[in-house]
Amino acid sequence: MNKKSKILCLFITTLFLANLFTGCKKSSTEQYYSQTSSKNEKDYDICIYNARYNVSETFQKLVDEYYSENGVKIKVISPSKEDDSFEKLNSQLNSYEYPTIYSITSFKELSNLQHDGFAWNFNDSNIDNFKELTQNIPNDMRLSLNDSSNFGIPYGIEGYGYLVDRNVISSIFGNDNVDSFINDLKSASYNDFEMLIKALDYFIKNNESTYIYLNGNKYPIAPQKDDISKKLTGVFSVAGSEQWTYINHMINIAINTTFDSSLSAMNANKSQVELLYAPLKAYSKALDLKTSYTAGENGQLERSDSYINPELSTYDQAVKNFSDGKSIFICQGNWSYNDIEKNNSELSDRLSIIPIKLPLNDYDIHLNDISIESFNKSIPVYVSMYYGINAKTSDKEKKLAQDFLVWLNTSDLGKKYIINEFKYIPYDCDNNFESSYSINKSILEYRKAGNTLSGAYMGSPYCSKNSFLGTKIKNEYLTKKFWSSKDYEYIANLAIEQWWKK
């Protein structure tokens, strides 16, 4: 071979290798499968990515029954507790086991999915029963970045606040005072709530009687502990290592002072976000209060490196401490019902929800249709998760996905799973709907009374498993024993600064 031939051969080989390796790269907007891929190797018809990991086993039973009834085999993939759900979803969307149906948990996720071509608009359906189902989704629950499109079917209605065991209240304040105490606590001011927390802490540590006032009504604390109250090691159960439990849900109360929906929060302007400064300071003060009186497994858990230790201070441990009667309150919602029931089946029937209290004033509320009194006795009730359909899948897969979602939301068996297995409140229920589960009962009471807030945080930059703000608070403040007013100011300023880095 002469010199020119060698050079030409080398050039062709180099070009071939370059094309080979660059061909391995593809844009996230390209189809991630091809007509020549080995589809026959799959032993299922469609795949569902279910972000509710705590119902993953039950979800598998659901699709097994669907297969028995309809002959369609569905593979279910759920994230672990440690996963960032959306990062896991992105990985799955670009894998061979791509989901046809997936979970969407925020408008930011929807925006990203639309940008990458994965969000299918339900308005494009030509299946009558699916069109009827999706067109009847209430406007305030519609997953859309505009007025016309529709990208999700709600999992169900959720609500949250401070869960409290009626038996613990009976132990401390007497059986005859349980109903009146809980009713007064629901509408009590932050100042009353703060004094209550400090009085309960004193009782736990010193086993001495005192009294507190709620809404002007006096409630004496028991003269000494009994078999129930002697188990208490702190006032609150807190999952210090898991940001979503003290960022997303607590900070949502502050965001609701200015935004009435997640979409309005997502479309916020600078002047609106600046109005959040005082509410965010209030959030910081309330977070300081909650994390200063935390129940541990064997005693009070103080803010320190141990407070955020992922082996000591997890969601599971916080739920267990609460279920074991070691704390009076835990900030959770109806999604935690099954977890509480697994730890203590008797407790799960005795729970009520108390609103999360922030030290707010009239001028901190910037929505015209809500007063500070109404705001203070309301809990967030909203849809936090939707089923979306992958736009990049085949027409056959889309058809199977639509059939499943119609079956899930309209058949007797599908509804049984939603209501009695997942223990969700159906998104399309009316005021006559009743639930046999204590947390859902409490949520429905707030809903019927009109004492509800939105899930506005889902349109904020804090709606993620690990936000910058959450990481900062976790590492620098939950390890710090004492906070000052300057710390509240710093957290509020940092939160506003981070809003624009979403």
Side-chain angles (χ1 to χ4, degrees):
M1 184 180 293
N2 60 35
K3 185 175 181 180
K4 288 184 178 181
S5 297
K6 289 182 179 180
I7 293 173
L8 179 60
C9 182
L10 180 61
F11 173 78
I12 292 173
T13 301
T14 304
L15 183 62
F16 171 77
L17 290 172
N19 286 333
L20 175 64
F21 287 109
T22 56
C24 292
K25 299 177 181 179
K26 62 175 179 283
S27 165
S28 61
T29 61
E30 295 175 5
Q31 281 196 323
Y32 42 84
Y33 63 90
S34 69
Q35 298 299 323
T36 59
S37 64
S38 303
K39 292 183 181 180
N40 293 332
E41 294 178 6
K42 294 182 178 178
D43 60 351
Y44 55 89
D45 297 297
I46 61 172
C47 177
I48 295 178
Y49 178 82
N50 163 56
R52 277 274 180 252
Y53 65 81
N54 59 344
V55 296
S56 57
E57 292 182 8
T58 311
F59 209 103
Q60 185 60 54
K61 293 177 183 176
L62 164 70
V63 299
D64 288 345
E65 293 210 51
Y66 185 72
Y67 173 72
S68 298
E69 187 176 304
N70 297 281
V72 177
K73 192 166 186 180
I74 300 174
K75 180 181 180 67
V76 179
I77 295 176
S78 298
S80 69
K81 289 180 289 187
E82 293 75 25
D83 286 330
D84 182 299
S85 177
F86 192 61
E87 286 183 6
K88 175 84 171 179
L89 172 59
N90 271 327
S91 175
Q92 291 298 140
L93 285 170
N94 289 286
S95 74
Y96 182 65
E97 292 183 320
Y98 57 84
T100 306
I101 299 173
Y102 53 76
S103 304
I104 306 176
T105 59
S106 71
F107 281 97
K108 182 179 180 181
E109 289 185 4
L110 173 61
S111 179
N112 290 337
L113 290 164
Q114 281 187 269
H115 178 269
D116 291 339
F118 290 115
W120 186 61
N121 189 347
F122 294 168
N123 293 340
D124 294 335
S125 172
N126 58 7
I127 299 176
D128 289 341
N129 56 3
F130 185 78
K131 288 170 65 176
E132 181 181 1
L133 174 68
T134 56
Q135 287 172 0
N136 287 329
I137 295 173
N139 287 333
D140 63 344
M141 298 182 188
R142 192 173 292 266
L143 183 65
S144 175
L145 298 176
N146 57 48
D147 294 332
S148 59
S149 56
N150 189 359
F151 292 97
I153 295 177
Y155 268 52
I157 294 172
E158 295 184 345
Y160 69 88
Y162 289 127
L163 304 185
V164 62
D165 177 6
R166 296 175 63 87
N167 275 13
V168 173
I169 299 304
S170 175
S171 167
I172 299 173
F173 294 101
N175 189 56
D176 292 341
N177 290 326
V178 173
D179 288 336
S180 59
F181 176 87
I182 288 178
N183 286 334
D184 276 334
L185 184 54
K186 285 180 177 180
S187 54
S189 68
Y190 177 84
N191 288 338
D192 281 357
F193 183 69
E194 181 179 16
M195 295 305 296
L196 168 66
I197 301 310
K198 292 178 179 180
L200 291 171
D201 176 67
Y202 182 84
F203 173 67
I204 292 168
K205 290 177 178 175
N206 299 289
N207 195 20
E208 293 181 14
S209 178
T210 182
Y211 59 87
I212 56 97
Y213 284 94
L214 293 176
N215 292 337
N217 296 316
K218 185 177 181 179
Y219 291 94
I221 290 177
Q224 61 184 18
K225 297 178 183 178
D226 61 13
D227 289 342
I228 294 175
S229 55
K230 71 181 182 182
K231 297 177 184 177
L232 294 168
T233 61
V235 181
F236 297 96
S237 282
V238 182
S241 69
E242 303 197 31
Q243 298 178 23
W244 64 273
T245 63
Y246 51 85
I247 295 293
N248 296 10
H249 294 140
M250 279 198 72
I251 211 168
N252 182 51
I253 309 303
I255 296 172
N256 262 272
T257 62
T258 305
F259 301 103
D260 60 2
S261 70
S262 52
L263 187 57
S264 65
M266 185 172 178
N267 294 325
N269 59 44
K270 185 176 180 181
S271 60
Q272 287 175 313
V273 174
E274 288 177 347
L275 292 174
L276 289 175
Y277 177 73
L280 287 167
K281 278 183 61 180
Y283 151 77
S284 306
K285 185 175 181 179
L287 181 61
D288 182 15
L289 178 72
K290 183 173 81 166
T291 56
S292 293
Y293 301 97
T294 303
E297 189 172 5
N298 300 308
Q300 182 169 316
L301 182 63
E302 295 188 347
R303 290 193 299 242
S304 63
D305 289 341
S306 296
Y307 199 95
I308 62 171
N309 188 321
E311 295 182 358
L312 301 174
S313 189
T314 63
Y315 164 79
D316 288 342
Q317 186 61 53
V319 169
K320 186 177 187 304
N321 286 342
F322 177 72
S323 302
D324 289 345
K326 295 181 179 180
S327 70
I328 301 168
F329 302 108
I330 185 172
C331 181
Q332 287 296 330
N334 52 338
W335 58 81
S336 65
Y337 186 94
N338 285 333
D339 298 321
I340 294 171
E341 187 177 42
K342 288 176 185 176
N343 282 279
N344 187 338
S345 59
E346 294 180 357
L347 165 63
S348 60
D349 292 328
R350 305 193 303 258
L351 299 172
S352 293
I353 299 181
I354 305 302
I356 297 171
K357 309 291 183 177
L358 300 188
L360 298 167
N361 297 300
D362 285 302
Y363 48 79
D364 295 323
I365 309 296
H366 303 289
L367 299 176
N368 295 328
D369 58 345
I370 187 168
S371 65
I372 185 63
E373 290 78 18
S374 176
F375 189 93
N376 202 41
K377 62 183 180 181
S378 298
I379 67 169
V381 178
Y382 62 107
V383 175
S384 73
M385 194 169 290
Y386 293 81
Y387 295 104
I389 293 179
N390 188 343
K392 294 187 179 183
T393 53
S394 67
D395 290 342
K396 179 181 178 181
E397 289 168 314
K398 289 188 183 74
K399 168 68 165 58
L400 293 176
Q402 293 172 78
D403 290 344
F404 172 78
L405 291 173
V406 169
W407 176 87
L408 177 62
N409 287 279
T410 61
S411 73
D412 289 340
L413 185 55
K415 288 181 177 179
K416 172 197 165 191
Y417 268 88
I418 290 173
I419 297 170
N420 296 323
E421 301 296 333
F422 300 148
K423 298 181 175 63
Y424 298 157
I425 298 173
Y427 75 88
D428 56 352
C429 71
D430 58 25
N431 283 336
N432 295 319
F433 175 78
E434 295 181 355
S435 175
S436 57
Y437 306 110
S438 61
I439 305 178
N440 285 347
K441 284 181 180 178
S442 195
I443 292 169
L444 290 169
E445 289 173 2
Y446 283 97
R447 190 171 183 241
K448 287 178 182 178
N451 294 326
T452 63
L453 303 174
S454 76
Y457 78 99
M458 294 171 65
S460 79
Y462 320 125
C463 183
S464 65
K465 187 175 179 68
N466 295 297
S467 68
F468 178 88
L469 177 66
T471 301
K472 196 80 170 177
I473 290 175
K474 175 181 174 180
N475 293 331
E476 296 188 13
Y477 283 93
L478 297 190
T479 57
K480 181 178 180 180
K481 189 170 183 179
F482 299 108
W483 298 7
S484 68
S485 58
K486 289 186 177 180
D487 292 319
Y488 307 152
E489 293 170 1
Y490 175 83
I491 291 173
N493 281 318
L494 180 64
I496 290 175
E497 176 187 331
Q498 288 304 306
W499 188 287
W500 304 114
K501 294 184 179 181
K502 60 184 176 180

